[in-house]
Amino acid sequence: MSEVKERSTIASCSFCRKPNSEVEKLVAGPGVFICDGCVALAAQVIAGATSTSAESGESAESGESAWDSPVAPWDREMSLDAVLATLGSVAAAGEQAERNLALWVAKARSLGATWSQIGQALGMARQSAWERFSGEE
Ligand SMILES: [Zn+2]
């Protein structure tokens, strides 16, 4: 158990922002991460949504569902405090994704990728990729 606490922070859950040193497992996606706790919560949400729609036979029982707009949560009715609290999480997830992108680009470079190849993979010009990721001026 102490071994877990002594691990250094490599990445944080993109959902709850807990570092890998504070969770049991951290699963990596493309530049994002999710912890075992958030996976369990997501599983509950999915199981709950499935049983609700199966039991009621209707897609929306009340207008209060937090899942009316799952892909655009900013369209939900939220208090200013809740929105402000979310801004920090979104920014932190974005910063982590940006750091990960830089690490993936470095990995591609170490495998011999040209800036032209990296630019093409990212849908940007070779020069833009170099300026953004080379660390040179
Ligand atoms: Zn989490």
Side-chain angles (χ1 to χ4, degrees):
M1 284 297 167
S2 62
E3 188 181 318
V4 172
K5 288 175 182 170
E6 287 166 14
R7 282 185 306 186
S8 60
T9 298
I10 297 165
S12 300
C13 177
S14 300
F15 292 80
C16 71
R17 298 172 67 180
K18 283 183 188 164
N20 59 289
S21 54
E22 290 181 21
V23 299
E24 286 289 318
K25 300 271 185 188
L26 198 60
V27 180
V32 294
F33 301 86
I34 188 167
C35 74
D36 56 309
C38 287
V39 167
L41 181 60
Q44 285 175 17
V45 169
I46 290 167
T50 300
S51 65
T52 298
S53 58
E55 287 164 15
S56 68
E58 294 173 350
S59 56
E61 283 181 286
S62 73
E64 298 295 308
S65 171
W67 310 105
D68 286 348
S69 184
V71 293
W74 51 86
D75 283 342
R76 267 191 263 140
E77 297 249 344
M78 294 174 79
S79 71
L80 176 57
D81 283 347
V83 172
L84 290 175
T86 303
L87 289 182
S89 297
V90 174
E95 285 163 15
Q96 177 168 259
E98 183 65 27
R99 282 195 306 276
N100 265 271
L101 179 56
L103 292 171
W104 279 100
V105 168
K107 177 70 175 178
R109 289 288 294 164
S110 75
L111 293 171
T114 64
W115 287 111
S116 181
Q117 286 176 304
I118 291 168
Q120 188 173 20
L122 293 172
M124 60 174 62
R126 183 202 67 82
Q127 181 71 18
S128 300
W130 181 83
E131 286 172 3
R132 183 168 167 187
F133 298 107
S134 73
E136 297 174 36
E137 297 193 19

